[in-house]
Amino acid sequence: MDLNYLFISLTPSWTSVAMLIGYFLYLATVGSILPGKLVPGATLSDGTRLHYRCNGLLSLLLLVLLLGVGSQMNLVSPTAIADRGLELLSTTFIFSVLVTLMLYLVGLNSRAKSSSLKPHVSGNLIHDWWFGIQLNPEFMGIDLKFFFVRAGMMGWLLINLSVLAKCVIEAKLSHSMILYQLFCGLYILDYFFYEEFMTSTWDIIAERLGFMLVFGDLVFIPFTFSIQGWWLLSNKVELTTAAIIANCLVFLIGYSVFRGANKQKHVFKKDPKAPIWGSPPKVIGGKLLASGYWGIARHCNYLGDLLLASSFSLPCGISSVVPYFYPIYLLILLIWRERRDEARCAEKYKDVWAEYRKLVPYRILPYVY
């Protein structure tokens, strides 16, 4: 690729800025007014709890409907995102840097005492900017952490749909593209159907909001998780019937493990006596679930995540490593995160964690230590 062309493609324009601002304004508006289940978050150290309006699925479906109608009326181009992919990438990156600098400055000058807004300052500028200072910063009553992860997941689908539209217009639609779009679409819709489960994840409960989370939500998720679609737009892959069936099986198994494990954990946190697979749950020390998927491996949900990520890339064949960026990255991330989780749980639960490890000796993959 010509470097001059690449530089021009990455240069933000007022159009890309307007698209990004319009997107955020839409999410902020409908997120505040559309009906949705009000879900209480985890109890924080000061005894307070945030409440999250989980109307992401309705917000997403309405947005896709509006864009579809706008496209039919020639008000918006269905390929607008695909045509400005690199431009939107750089615009979103710059926004992430600017907003996290603002979060750093606001947090640094905060005198709040609540668990959500109390500043945690290490004195190291890079560390505090990267990991964040406040747990749950808000802007005009909007919880920014929950807002940004929602924006990233929806952005992933919008990029995919724009790439799909470009593929159809250019008469390049293939079985590979259909499989990729189908798997990602189902995964994202499922995420928003079970959006309340997000309120009990580590990122929401314990991670402060800094560049690491904002960049991950707004840039990394939508723009790198969609690499397969971009790649298929320029590369033709012919899949055999056996390959299609195998790919579907990987997706279905991955989804069953991923959703099943996360649902069991969420239900257990809400009701520790709720049956798991039809039987009373086995609980270690009154705190740790050792039934269902959590009795097979200590981080079985990570296995489901890896299988799903693989299913998104397998439609691209094996001629290039580029479409496998997501599963390769995820494998490295989850191995690191598993080690971090183990250390944190050992410190938090002490002897109870040691007992759980004896009962469930496998980390991510059953029968593999």
Side-chain angles (χ1 to χ4, degrees), residues 67-88:
L67 291 174
V69 172
S71 175
Q72 289 296 313
M73 298 174 65
N74 294 318
L75 297 175
V76 295
S77 168
T79 64
I81 297 175
D83 292 337
R84 297 178 177 272
L86 291 175
E87 191 178 304
L88 285 167

Side-chain angles (χ1 to χ4, degrees), residues 8-279:
I8 293 173
S9 299
L10 283 168
T11 303
S13 68
W14 288 114
T15 301
S16 60
V17 171
M19 289 171 67
L20 190 63
I21 292 175
Y23 177 52
F24 287 150
L25 286 176
Y26 169 84
L27 291 183
T29 302
V30 300
S32 300
I33 64 176
L34 288 182
K37 184 178 180 181
L38 202 60
V39 178
T43 303
L44 303 177
S45 59
D46 62 356
T48 61
R49 303 179 79 173
L50 297 181
H51 288 76
Y52 302 91
R53 187 177 299 279
C54 294
N55 54 11
L57 182 61
L58 185 56
S59 301
L60 175 60
L61 295 177
L62 178 60
L63 178 56
V64 173
L65 176 63
L66 290 174
L67 291 174
V69 172
S71 175
Q72 289 296 313
M73 298 174 65
N74 294 318
L75 297 175
V76 295
S77 168
T79 64
I81 297 175
D83 292 337
R84 297 178 177 272
L86 291 175
E87 191 178 304
L88 285 167
L89 168 63
S90 60
T91 303
T92 310
F93 174 79
I94 292 171
F95 172 83
S96 299
V97 173
L98 294 177
V99 77
T100 49
L101 286 174
M102 288 299 298
L103 287 172
Y104 171 79
L105 293 174
V106 171
L108 201 62
N109 293 285
S110 174
R111 297 294 180 264
K113 301 298 181 182
S114 66
S115 295
S116 288
L117 300 176
K118 181 180 179 181
H120 298 266
V121 182
S122 70
N124 184 318
L125 187 153
I126 299 300
H127 178 277
D128 292 339
W129 169 70
W130 182 270
F131 291 105
I133 291 178
Q134 294 177 307
L135 182 63
N136 298 302
E138 295 182 347
F139 179 71
M140 298 181 66
I142 298 172
D143 181 87
L144 293 178
K145 191 189 295 183
F146 198 66
F147 178 84
F148 287 147
V149 70
R150 176 182 285 186
M153 291 298 292
M154 287 191 190
W156 179 14
L157 182 62
L158 293 180
I159 290 173
N160 279 353
L161 291 178
S162 187
V163 168
L164 176 62
K166 192 174 183 68
C167 189
V168 172
I169 290 172
E170 296 180 357
K172 294 180 179 179
L173 189 61
S174 63
H175 290 123
S176 296
M177 180 64 84
I178 293 172
L179 278 182
Y180 167 71
Q181 294 285 346
L182 177 64
F183 294 157
C184 289
L186 289 174
Y187 177 81
I188 296 167
L189 289 174
D190 172 83
Y191 171 89
F192 284 108
F193 185 82
Y194 291 105
E195 189 178 27
E196 68 175 277
F197 290 9
M198 187 64 192
T199 63
S200 61
T201 61
W202 181 263
D203 284 355
I204 295 294
I205 294 173
E207 295 281 14
R208 295 189 291 275
L209 188 62
F211 182 78
M212 181 181 73
L213 281 189
V214 175
F215 172 82
D217 291 340
L218 297 183
V219 180
F220 199 84
I221 287 176
F223 290 99
T224 65
F225 289 13
S226 57
I227 284 176
Q228 300 94 322
W230 294 105
W231 191 86
L232 286 171
L233 193 59
S234 305
N235 297 270
K236 187 175 182 179
V237 177
E238 296 291 343
L239 295 177
T240 64
T241 301
I244 293 174
I245 293 173
N247 202 166
C248 290
L249 287 175
V250 172
F251 174 80
L252 291 173
I253 294 171
Y255 173 79
S256 298
V257 175
F258 172 78
R259 177 50 60 211
N262 284 317
K263 188 173 184 178
Q264 287 175 357
K265 180 176 67 174
H266 182 79
V267 170
F268 175 73
K269 288 182 177 180
K270 299 293 182 182
D271 180 9
K273 295 183 180 179
I276 302 292
W277 288 346
S279 301

Side-chain angles (χ1 to χ4, degrees), residues 271-346:
D271 180 9
K273 295 183 180 179
I276 302 292
W277 288 346
S279 301
K282 185 169 185 176
V283 183
I284 306 297
K287 299 177 180 179
L288 300 176
L289 177 64
S291 291
Y293 289 105
W294 302 96
I296 298 174
R298 299 195 296 274
H299 306 276
C300 209
N301 56 325
Y302 290 171
L303 174 61
D305 227 343
L306 288 168
L307 289 173
L308 283 171
S310 299
S311 74
F312 300 157
S313 298
L314 286 172
C316 299
I318 56 174
S319 63
S320 172
V321 72
V322 172
Y324 288 86
F325 171 83
Y326 176 31
I328 293 172
Y329 151 79
L330 190 64
L331 176 63
I332 296 170
L333 173 69
L334 292 183
I335 290 176
W336 169 78
R337 179 170 283 187
E338 186 272 339
R339 298 299 190 268
R340 187 185 67 167
D341 291 348
E342 289 280 318
R344 284 177 170 172
C345 289

